[in-house]
Amino acid sequence: MTTAASTSNSFFDSLESAPPDSILGLNESFKNDPNPDKINLTVGVYQDESGVTPIFECIKLAEKQLVDTESSKSYLPINGSPEFGLAVQKLLFGTDDQGTDHEIVRSKRAVTAQSPGGTGALRIAGDFLQKKFPNSRVWLSAPTWANHPAIFAAAGLETKNYSYLNSDKTGLDFDAMKASLDETRPGDVLLLHGCCHNPTGVDLSADQWQELAAIIRQRQLLPLIDCAYQGFNAGIEEDAVGISTLCNAGLEVMICSSFSKNLGLYGERVGAMTLVADSEKSAKAALSHIKSCIRVNYSNPPKHGAALATAVLSDDGLRDVWFKELAGVRARIKQVRSQFVQEMNRRCESDFSFIENQNGMFSFSGLTPLQVDQLRNEYSIYIVGVGRINVAGINSNNIERLCDCIAKVMA
Ligand code: LMR
């Protein structure tokens, strides 16, 4: 008797393995590395001083509340929980001086689709854009998050790159960025990182966002803001400066946000795709198309994590706990950056102080792909290939060894 695999009916025999993911694949290799001194600076997951990715206290409290109050595990609507959507909009757009919701929220010209994480939000955006604006090209910073090009390619959209970093890769070259935008066509999509640029930690200043708003209007572009780290640089409101600048300039905007990092809800997959239109009517029409993209993909989003986020965002007490915890995260990241700079400057001739000017969890270290490979192969130190370091993976137990090894490969 012949087995299925030996007949010409075998579908999978000829498959070659796909290359591992450039971020999550490294994380898997790290887990399999037997070296007890291994150091993981790969995936963008916050770690505390003891190397643990903690569950936020506000989430623990919300979980307890939810056990008593949740009455059903039935499906959510296709675009998720309306309470969650409203809470997301209030977080992104903030309130005016009197504490009143932003005009965008009051006029209902924003719609939100709850998504499985920030990646899910980006894919919803890609599917919607491909469906309704198939000729739009998506402009990505060079460099950008490694998954961006693949997400938009999978949605069937063409991607282009705009310049971002200066020649020594330590800061922004805004003139070069603006010059690249001269190549855009009306109707193209401009992907911007709301804050804590991934992978560089190099952000636009408030003035540069203003200038960009004028360029976006003049060149008739659609801004798509990836906002995965709100609260990780200066604060929830402060980190939304890009969003508020573009929105207050009267532009239509799409925003992909995530609670993976700022509420530590990584595995719960809690994100949102928010679209701001000129009117409530156009926002509603856009939502109907967004919903049809979601229905054929995962039907409707997961419930639990979004319920936790909603509980924290809509309860003053839980919000206070959250804000304090986020402040602690920011303080630790800034402290680690300073320590890293001090330790490196003691060991190397090159000046590492630019690392203190970068925002959020990631730094562009300046390490070459060869040096990154050497660190992994010889010292079990795992860094993403482009030289991106997750600074939250550095702690007092590993900083000496890390800096010694980096100094060695740079010598
Ligand atoms: C990262 O950039 O490491 C994170 O956003 C996690 C991921 O999915 O890549």
Side-chain angles (χ1 to χ4, degrees):
M1 209 171 78
T2 50
T3 62
S6 66
T7 69
S8 56
N9 254 6
S10 173
F11 288 93
F12 309 125
D13 262 5
S14 62
L15 292 184
E16 301 279 348
S17 294
D21 182 79
S22 62
I23 298 174
L24 300 184
L26 275 177
N27 206 38
E28 283 168 30
S29 309
F30 172 82
K31 283 191 184 136
N32 297 330
D33 189 330
N35 185 342
D37 294 326
K38 62 187 177 179
I39 300 176
N40 188 2
L41 308 180
T42 60
V43 65
V45 171
Y46 177 77
Q47 297 170 42
D48 65 16
E49 169 59 24
S50 52
V52 168
T53 300
I55 301 178
F56 280 50
E57 183 58 24
C58 60
I59 292 296
K60 287 266 188 205
L61 294 168
E63 292 267 18
K64 285 189 186 132
Q65 278 185 7
L66 208 60
V67 168
D68 294 331
T69 55
E70 194 176 40
S71 55
S72 171
K73 293 283 186 193
S74 185
Y75 292 128
L76 285 176
I78 295 175
N79 61 314
S81 140
E83 295 79 18
F84 173 81
L86 185 61
V88 167
Q89 291 182 12
K90 290 182 178 200
L91 197 71
L92 295 176
F93 305 123
T95 50
D96 65 18
D97 294 343
Q98 278 75 47
T100 312
D101 287 342
H102 193 282
E103 172 277 322
I104 290 177
V105 180
R106 282 184 282 120
S107 65
K108 299 194 169 62
R109 60 186 185 88
V111 284
T112 296
Q114 182 189 322
S115 62
T119 308
L122 286 159
R123 182 57 193 266
I124 295 171
D127 285 346
F128 164 72
L129 289 166
Q130 203 285 330
K131 193 171 173 199
K132 301 316 297 173
F133 309 97
N135 298 323
S136 300
R137 302 162 317 164
V138 182
W139 287 78
L140 307 169
S141 60
T144 193
W145 179 44
N147 212 14
H148 276 150
I151 290 171
F152 294 106
L157 289 162
E158 188 186 344
T159 56
K160 305 283 280 181
N161 290 322
Y162 60 85
S163 301
Y164 196 70
L165 288 180
N166 58 17
S167 54
D168 57 7
K169 301 194 168 150
T170 54
L172 182 69
D173 186 340
F174 192 52
D175 286 336
M177 177 177 177
K178 288 187 292 184
S180 327
L181 299 184
D182 286 345
E183 308 294 314
T184 56
R185 295 194 299 236
D188 278 354
V189 175
L190 179 61
L191 191 142
L192 299 158
H193 297 229
C195 62
C196 308
H197 183 275
N198 181 3
T200 66
V202 172
D203 287 334
L204 273 67
S205 69
D207 287 346
Q208 288 164 337
W209 278 107
Q210 287 284 2
E211 232 184 291
L212 201 58
I215 296 170
I216 289 169
R217 175 171 295 289
Q218 187 217 345
R219 300 201 66 83
Q220 299 172 37
L221 306 176
L222 174 61
L224 170 57
I225 304 180
D226 185 350
C227 186
Y229 295 88
Q230 190 181 2
F232 261 53
N233 177 35
I236 287 291
E237 197 185 322
E238 295 83 344
D239 291 353
V241 63
I243 294 175
S244 57
T245 305
L246 300 195
C247 288
N248 293 341
L251 295 165
E252 294 191 316
V253 185
M254 290 170 73
I255 304 160
C256 297
S257 55
S258 166
F259 290 107
S260 294
K261 329 283 168 167
N262 61 14
L263 272 174
L265 286 172
Y266 307 90
E268 297 287 354
R269 310 309 293 136
V270 193
M273 207 287 281
T274 298
L275 178 147
V276 181
D278 276 344
S279 67
E280 181 182 2
K281 183 169 162 281
S282 353
K284 271 192 178 153
L287 182 63
S288 68
H289 295 291
I290 291 164
K291 282 165 74 173
S292 58
C293 295
I294 292 171
R295 176 64 174 145
V296 296
N297 189 347
Y298 53 86
S299 189
N300 51 73
K303 200 170 185 183
H304 187 73
L308 297 174
T310 311
V312 173
L313 297 179
S314 21
D315 179 300
D316 287 346
L318 291 181
R319 260 177 93 97
D320 283 351
V321 176
W322 178 41
F323 277 18
K324 286 198 186 94
E325 293 186 282
L326 258 185
V329 166
R330 286 194 295 274
R332 174 170 141 65
I333 289 175
K334 287 198 186 345
Q335 188 207 9
V336 169
R337 281 185 184 279
S338 304
Q339 277 173 353
F340 181 70
V341 170
Q342 272 173 29
E343 294 292 335
M344 286 313 303
N345 283 351
R346 279 206 295 127
R347 289 166 172 83
C348 284
E349 278 188 7
S350 31
D351 180 14
F352 278 81
S353 49
F354 64 90
I355 294 218
E356 278 183 285
N357 303 329
Q358 299 172 341
N359 300 332
M361 244 185 331
F362 302 126
S363 258
F364 226 43
S365 60
L367 288 162
T368 65
L370 229 67
Q371 292 165 336
V372 167
D373 282 352
Q374 203 184 342
L375 282 168
R376 187 176 63 251
N377 297 335
E378 291 178 22
Y379 305 108
S380 297
I381 293 174
Y382 289 74
I383 290 172
V384 173
V386 287
R388 183 192 85 172
I389 285 184
N390 173 7
V391 292
I394 304 175
N395 57 48
S396 46
N397 287 325
N398 64 23
I399 192 161
E400 295 274 337
R401 177 166 177 270
L402 173 70
C403 295
D404 286 345
C405 296
I406 293 181
K408 272 187 215 155
V409 302
M410 287 184 86

